[in-house]
Amino acid sequence: DVVALVHRGRLLLVNVLPLEDYVVAVLGGEMPPSFPLEALRAQAVAARTYALNKKLEALDEPFHLGSSVLAQVYGGLERENPKTREATASTRGQVLTFELEPIEAYFHSSCGGQTETGLQALQRDLPYLQAVTCPCGKHPATQWSTSLSAKELEEVLGREARGEVRVLARTSTGRVRRLSVGSRTLEGVEFRQRFGYERVRSLLFEVMADGKGGVRLVGRGFGHGAGLCQWGAKLMADAGKSYQEILLHYYPGTELQTLY
């Protein structure tokens, strides 16, 4: 059902639907249905847990979740197929908890070989968002490169951005924490945001000058790197791991509980 609400002077159209239907739709938008069933089950539990956590945070708000990548990609029930429905139904009501509360179950496309801590990736210092090893590091799907011309650097960052691009600090997992572009210094997170998440796919990259004042970035991974790595989940499932094993690997210290 779609409900029209007026909130803070704005008209909102809110899609109201059961949690399990929401999980089915999110699963179709967040993970390729061609992935193994155990990976899809792991993603279903993570999506359900994330949604429940955000719902509890927003009980007094007119809606609990958005539909974009800033929350979870919700594309409507037309995104479901038999595999996403099966993965959701077979994990119905299951969520990850830490100290009996639903966790902030962040996830991303690929980490490039090691996930990032919640503190470094999202400023969320949570005991279950720790750096863990991942089998996705050498997979072709996790590799990327992009070129940023001298003109583009200056257009996006201003005249101060004329000059060498240097990495000044990295996190413990090797991701860019801070860098300088010409005389300008900025955080890696801001750099990625300014040039676009599709373009600079992760902060796990090396910088190479192109000889013309621009740079070529060569990296691994796609996303912030915290929590469940979707490509890692696929490869773990391919190797025979269960969705329970996958979840407890990427969210260490949590428990899988059935709430309903």
Side-chain angles (χ1 to χ4, degrees), residues 46-207:
R48 182 183 297 109
T49 304
Y50 184 91
L52 186 57
N53 177 277
K54 294 305 174 188
K55 180 177 180 178
L56 293 173
E57 283 184 359
L59 285 177
D60 296 330
E61 296 297 321
F63 63 90
H64 301 140
L65 284 157
S67 61
S68 74
V69 293
L70 296 178
Q72 300 189 92
V73 177
Y74 171 76
L77 287 175
E78 65 271 13
R79 299 301 293 270
E80 74 166 288
N81 71 23
K83 278 187 72 176
T84 59
R85 177 62 74 178
E86 180 182 357
T88 303
S90 61
T91 62
R92 177 180 173 81
Q94 293 183 15
V95 298
L96 289 163
T97 64
F98 185 83
E99 296 181 347
L100 302 181
E101 294 186 0
I103 70 167
E104 295 182 37
Y106 292 100
F107 51 86
H108 57 281
S109 178
S110 61
C111 68
Q114 188 174 26
T115 65
E116 183 60 283
T117 67
L119 180 61
Q120 293 291 351
L122 303 161
Q123 289 74 57
R124 304 294 295 149
D125 190 10
L126 299 167
Y128 48 80
L129 292 181
Q130 299 302 321
V132 299
T133 58
C134 178
C136 82
K138 295 183 179 179
H139 196 282
T142 72
Q143 315 298 311
W144 61 271
S145 66
T146 191
S147 295
L148 304 175
S149 68
K151 180 181 179 183
E152 187 174 9
L153 288 169
E154 188 173 338
E155 286 177 346
V156 173
L157 299 177
R159 296 182 64 183
E160 301 171 326
R162 292 178 181 174
E164 185 182 7
V165 178
R166 293 189 302 123
V167 175
L168 302 178
R170 292 185 182 270
T171 70
S172 60
T173 65
R175 289 170 171 83
V176 175
R177 186 166 61 199
R178 190 179 309 108
L179 71 168
S180 62
V181 185
S183 62
R184 179 166 182 179
T185 299
L186 65 163
E187 298 298 306
V189 171
E190 182 186 354
F191 179 84
R192 185 171 176 236
Q193 183 180 41
R194 295 291 291 274
F195 287 97
Y197 298 131
E198 290 285 337
R199 189 91 174 275
V200 183
R201 293 196 152 206
S202 75
L203 291 176
L204 190 59
F205 63 78
E206 301 294 335
V207 179

